[in-house]
Amino acid sequence: MAYIGGTDAGCFIPTLLNETSDGERHIVLTQNALADTTYLGYLRHLYGDQMQVPTEADSKKAIDDYFAEAWKRRQHDDKFPDEPKQVRPGEDIRMVDGKINVSGQPAVWDINEQFLRTLLEKNPDLRFGYEESFPLKSVYAEAVPLGPITELRAPDAKDSFTVERAAVALDYWRGTTRELLADAEASGSPEVLKTYSHTLVAQANLLAGRDHPAEAEQAYRLASQLWPTNPEAIASLAQLLDRTGRTAEAERVFDDFVARHPDQREDMEAAAVWRRKATGPAATTTLGP
């Protein structure tokens, strides 16, 4: 199995263990640099005899495809200003000297997501473990929980991710949360709690994406319990509550968090896509994904 890391801890710790242990050597890479042709060359140097690495032509196609799709969304927003915005907050799409120019973190995420799909397509016989940095939702359809991370393109994923399997994943995180909070060293380390909280949110995203909303809700709440100031846990929980028809509760959860943590207001408002859709285009000027 190849391993795709996302966060600092999720990349560096497996890399360290891979290089210093006496066990089997694994392919270890990061999802965050797949759009960098220099990094692709590095991967070809290390693992070219073990897997097919996207080429420079693949790189150009992924970027061109994203630019074309992004420009269509920008044109939609210009043509239909009263409809929900398709350009995401932080995504700056412009025409400069006759060429499409896109900047912002969402652009990087989308291009990396296309590269990840290309990597999967080029290696149909290779299994992949995945530790999420930013949600890449197009890979959820054939993904299942694998301990604290995710297995991509898992065998029979569409049929095997049952309610029972979702419950097992949630039980894993309940136990892990109890152990972390009972461990004085772990509970006294903000970095440990932040890292596990982020990883828990990632698996909650998978649960939500695979239509297990009850388990996803509990996972988001556990992530918030581990790190109470985690904006992504509460923003995702509020979005899930809104999507499942509990908009008033979503508003309360959102507003209560912002009241308790006013320093997180900017991050929360940037993530409140569900709220902008509910309140209409005028709200986009104040809110801020």
Side-chain angles (χ1 to χ4, degrees):
M1 176 179 284
Y3 173 83
I4 303 170
T7 65
D8 286 350
C11 290
F12 297 151
I13 293 173
T15 300
L16 175 64
L17 294 175
N18 199 39
E19 294 301 320
T20 59
S21 70
D22 294 328
E24 179 186 357
R25 289 292 190 271
H26 294 276
I27 298 172
V28 178
L29 57 150
T30 174
Q31 71 176 78
N32 300 324
L34 293 175
D36 186 335
T37 55
T38 303
Y39 183 66
L40 294 180
Y42 166 79
L43 292 181
R44 277 191 290 273
H45 174 72
L46 284 183
Y47 306 122
D49 60 339
Q50 297 174 266
M51 71 174 182
Q52 294 293 319
V53 179
T55 64
E56 290 189 14
D58 294 323
S59 175
K60 184 178 185 305
K61 182 178 186 305
I63 293 172
D64 289 347
D65 288 350
Y66 167 73
F67 275 37
E69 188 270 338
W71 185 244
K72 286 181 181 179
R73 291 188 284 109
R74 166 64 191 273
Q75 289 179 309
H76 167 274
D77 291 356
D78 291 343
K79 188 175 181 180
F80 304 105
D82 295 331
E83 292 187 4
K85 301 295 183 185
Q86 293 187 3
V87 174
R88 296 183 290 280
E91 190 178 34
D92 187 11
I93 306 169
R94 306 184 185 198
M95 186 68 73
V96 179
D97 296 330
K99 295 183 179 180
I100 302 170
N101 186 285
V102 185
S103 60
Q105 277 195 323
V108 177
W109 302 340
D110 276 6
I111 293 171
N112 280 328
E113 185 168 2
Q114 291 195 43
F115 268 88
L116 179 56
R117 292 200 301 268
T118 300
L119 185 67
L120 294 173
E121 291 167 2
K122 283 180 167 289
N123 296 276
D125 299 324
L126 188 61
R127 299 174 63 203
F128 287 90
Y130 170 64
E131 189 257 352
E132 184 175 278
S133 174
F134 300 104
L136 305 182
K137 297 180 180 180
S138 66
V139 302
Y140 288 172
E142 295 183 333
V144 296
L146 183 67
I149 60 171
T150 299
E151 181 177 356
L152 302 181
R153 204 175 53 202
D156 301 321
K158 293 183 179 180
D159 299 322
S160 63
F161 200 170
T162 60
V163 173
E164 291 76 17
R165 189 163 191 168
V168 169
L170 182 59
D171 284 344
Y172 170 88
W173 281 111
R174 285 191 180 116
T176 299
T177 299
R178 285 195 300 269
E179 290 176 10
L180 288 168
L181 295 179
D183 185 312
E185 185 175 1
S187 63
S189 169
E191 291 306 315
V192 168
L193 297 181
K194 287 179 183 180
T195 298
Y196 273 96
S197 180
H198 174 85
T199 305
L200 215 171
V201 168
Q203 199 151 107
N205 291 339
L206 174 62
L207 289 163
R210 292 300 304 272
D211 200 25
H212 296 293
E215 291 79 8
E217 177 183 343
Q218 293 304 309
Y220 287 131
R221 293 186 186 278
L222 287 172
S224 184
Q225 183 180 346
L226 276 175
W227 180 23
T229 59
N230 185 351
E232 62 179 352
I234 295 300
S236 299
L237 173 61
Q239 183 173 344
L240 176 68
L241 293 172
D242 175 73
R243 182 165 64 84
T244 53
R246 298 155 65 185
T247 302
E249 185 178 354
E251 294 280 357
R252 287 195 299 272
V253 166
F254 185 96
D255 291 337
D256 179 64
F257 181 88
V258 171
R260 287 185 288 110
H261 307 288
D263 59 313
Q264 297 282 4
R265 176 180 293 275
E266 184 176 351
D267 288 340
M268 288 295 290
E269 290 181 341
V273 176
W274 59 276
R275 211 175 203 187
R276 290 194 291 278
K277 289 180 179 178
T279 54
T284 61
T285 60
T286 58
L287 287 177

